[in-house]
Amino acid sequence: MCGIVGAVAQREVSAILLEGLRRLEYRGYDSAGMSVISPQSGLASRKAVGKVSALASALEASPLPGTTGIAHTRWATHGQPSERNAHPHLSGDIALVHNGIIENHAALRERLEGLGYRFASETDTETIVHLIHHYYQQQRDLLGAVKHAVTDLEGAYGLAVINAEQPDRLVCARKGSPLVIGIGIGENFIASDHLALRQVTDRFAYLEEGDIAEVAPGHFRVWNADDEPVVRDVNQIDTAAESADKGQYRHFMLKEIYEQPSVIRRSLAGRLGSRKVLTEALGAKAGEILKNIENVQIVACGTSYHAGMVAKYWIEGFAGVPCRVEVASEFRYRKFKVQQNTLLVTISQSGETADTLAALRLAQTLDYAATLAICNVNQSSLVRESDLFLMTEAGPEIGVASTKAFTTQLVALILLTVAIGRYHDLDEAEEEAIVKSLHALPDLITETLSLDDDIKKMSNAFAEKHHALFLGRGVQWPVAMEGALKLKEISYIHAESYPAGELKHGPLALVDSDMPVIAVAPNDELLEKLKSNLQEVQARGGQLFVFADKAAGFEESPGLDIIAVPHVDEIIAPLIYTIPLQLLSYHVAILKGTDVDQPRNLAKSVTVE
Ligand code: AGP
């Protein structure tokens, strides 16, 4: 989704801003732009549709000298991707970039047109810059004008503003969209994600909801939502924990798939004893809170929602605690009753997903016992606003298609299952068995990754297909859902998933020789039932591709391709069976020649509704 970078320095900033945008490319966007203030020629901008490299070419042809600037990657919401809709938007000597959506933009536009402003774009954002300009005319102070303007805005924003009449500063504000200040020596920066600024600093101050900041080369000042001056903590980022390059891999997605054994090891470190889960890892208050929990409500989006779906089977099956799971965009707009002593669990890689955050904020107004965030980003809004958090420790995930974030979320959810189950149906022997399975997990994932060559061969059968059906039963149904999501998002093949028992209630009508059917088949209590369902597919000429436990008793035959997966314990089977589905979608995408790491129309972090 949209990205913001800004700089106030004593050196040229356009190269810094451009590098910042490159580092945000993984989030998904469709145009880019930059404005810089030059002491000689004032405010100037360059914009380009498409990749940041197109903006780089525009800058090469016509450089932007100057020491104060802002830049943006835009993911179109209001108005098509075009140069005139790309940010920064201008009003007189003021330039602005914005992430988020202004919901009352139509009313503001009418009001501003009445004041004589002419709009150059179709965006909601342009209303903000004219509004700031309007107030600036009255008080000749950019900070005051921004403070005034944001009181007129309804919706979400992370924004940054510069003004050629006050070239030594930048003003930024956040509400519903993250912003961070990067602290340098004699220079300061801002960005929507600290990753954009790692080339210039490792010290960051995260703005909180409602904050407005004035940033100058030698200092920055912050005011909270009540307009009181506040000091935000400065965090030093651990460089070793952050490596955002592809290394030997062709794509981030492949690198991230192969990182899974090591990141899972990291996410278990310090949380597993030899026989027990160390629930202290959930925080000092965790024991006190969890012992009273009688229900769990999970809320998330996309892949994180699938992790929640898997966890429902664990929390009900192992812990014996009722668990509901809902996509955040539905949860936040529905009337429902909160069960007594319910723990609200949000799951999010980024911790900035607009719907998940809104669901958390809604829950805080309701009668939940506590909120827990399972998240991959320290200092994200979700983490900071929850009572408890469990970090997934996957490291930065750059590929838009979530892989290692998903499996580390599952690890965190197993830990949570145990932490809650202890006060309910999970006895010591069962906990010990789960801990043993978790200790074995990283090596079993490595073993499963060795199926890569076979899966690559299998992928040839999908390159010309337009549809695919993913089947699983029980806890493997959400694994099938995740497999279908991976295939559709990076190969653009239409893929659906069903619990295999539902086949004959409709989807069987789709099955013919053009419809590959992928099934995940561990050797569990539902295996025989799944086999019957698969026979229904074979009998109708469907092409079957089954990832099956070595001991599941499948034999290859015409129309039935088998890949044998290591035998694993029930609790970790969803993680193991996810791996071949990730690899399959990756190889199919390679054959289709799609943009694996940045699939069309998608964004890594969905910070708007
Ligand atoms: C997964 O491959 C997707 N890119 C997407 O579904 C993602 O999981 C979803 O947008 C939620 O993101 P979050 O985990 O950062 O909240």
Side-chain angles (χ1 to χ4, degrees), residues 497-608:
S497 57
Y498 271 92
E502 270 292 295
L503 257 191
K504 49 175 124 23
H505 299 289
L508 202 53
L510 294 170
V511 171
D512 61 16
S513 57
D514 274 339
M515 170 69 96
V517 178
I518 302 101
V520 275
N523 194 2
D524 61 15
E525 59 193 23
L526 291 168
L527 178 65
E528 291 312 316
K529 296 198 181 300
L530 177 71
K531 280 183 175 171
S532 313
N533 302 139
L534 299 185
Q535 272 158 17
E536 293 159 9
V537 172
Q538 260 194 309
R540 278 143 190 98
Q543 240 190 312
L544 268 175
F545 300 87
V546 184
F547 296 97
D549 187 296
K550 278 176 182 157
F554 281 97
E555 275 179 27
E556 291 237 338
S557 60
L560 174 59
D561 276 41
I562 306 290
I563 288 193
V565 176
H567 176 74
V568 296
D569 296 338
E570 184 190 343
I571 186 113
I572 56 168
L575 289 106
I576 297 295
Y577 282 82
T578 295
I579 308 295
L581 301 187
Q582 293 171 343
L583 288 168
L584 180 67
S585 59
Y586 175 76
H587 291 303
V588 176
I590 294 294
L591 291 173
K592 304 260 307 181
T594 57
D595 190 344
V596 172
D597 285 332
Q598 292 168 42
R600 68 185 182 200
N601 306 339
L602 297 182
K604 181 66 184 163
S605 181
V606 184
T607 50
V608 294

Side-chain angles (χ1 to χ4, degrees), residues 301-304 348-350 353 400-402 409 485-486 489 606:
C301 301
T303 290
S304 301
S348 173
Q349 189 285 127
S350 61
T353 299
V400 164
S402 195
Q409 283 168 351
L485 177 63
K486 286 289 88 86
E489 71 180 328
V606 184

Side-chain angles (χ1 to χ4, degrees), residues 440-517:
L441 179 60
D443 288 344
L444 285 165
I445 292 188
T446 304
E447 196 180 331
T448 312
L449 285 167
S450 72
L451 300 172
D452 198 3
D453 284 346
D454 295 340
I455 295 168
K456 189 172 175 184
K457 280 184 208 130
M458 183 187 259
S459 66
N460 289 310
F462 291 78
E464 302 300 323
K465 301 292 184 206
H466 299 289
H467 308 276
L469 194 56
F470 285 72
L471 301 176
R473 288 198 74 134
V475 71
Q476 296 294 339
W477 171 38
V479 171
M481 292 168 78
E482 175 58 11
L485 177 63
K486 286 289 88 86
L487 189 71
K488 76 181 100 171
E489 71 180 328
I490 61 166
S491 74
Y492 315 151
I493 292 175
H494 167 228
E496 287 198 62
S497 57
Y498 271 92
E502 270 292 295
L503 257 191
K504 49 175 124 23
H505 299 289
L508 202 53
L510 294 170
V511 171
D512 61 16
S513 57
D514 274 339
M515 170 69 96
V517 178

